[in-house]
């Protein structure tokens, strides 16, 4: 079984394949065509919905030796 990891933070950058979160060490989330995106209210979203300054929660797994999280799902909106 794969244990999913959850990362939360404020988005500082978005590219076609990654989302970067704030922190003393910025955290990178890898996204792909199989990553699902939802808004806090439950509506479907896409990577284009993720904007710098958004708060997100991402669930996925780390694939050694990469230090980036391979996202399975990303929730856009306040996680507090």
């Amino acid at each position: 079984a794969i244990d999913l990891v959850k990362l939360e933070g404020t988005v500082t950058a978005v590219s076609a394949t990654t989302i970067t979160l704030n922190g003393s060490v910025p955290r990178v989330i890898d996204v792909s065509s199989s990553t699902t995106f939802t808004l806090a209210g439950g509506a479907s979203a896409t990577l284009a919905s993720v904007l710098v300054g958004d708060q997100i929660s991402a669930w996925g797994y780390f694939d050694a030796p990469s230090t980036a999280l391979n996202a399975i799902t990303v929730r856009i909106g306040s996680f507090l």
Side-chain angles (χ1 to χ4, degrees):
I2 296 174
D3 291 327
L4 294 182
V5 175
K6 180 181 180 183
L7 290 182
E8 299 176 324
T10 302
V11 176
T12 58
V14 182
S15 77
T17 58
T18 62
I19 300 169
T20 305
L21 301 181
N22 65 331
S24 56
V25 175
R27 294 169 289 176
V28 176
I29 299 168
D30 287 337
V31 297
S32 69
S33 60
S34 62
T35 303
T36 59
F37 295 86
T38 56
L39 300 176
S44 293
T46 65
L47 177 60
S49 305
V50 180
L51 304 174
V52 171
D54 283 347
Q55 292 182 338
I56 68 164
S57 300
W59 291 263
Y61 60 92
F62 289 100
D63 190 14
S66 174
T67 58
L69 179 79
N70 291 303
I72 294 170
T73 187
V74 174
R75 181 175 168 256
I76 306 160
S78 179
F79 51 79
L80 301 174

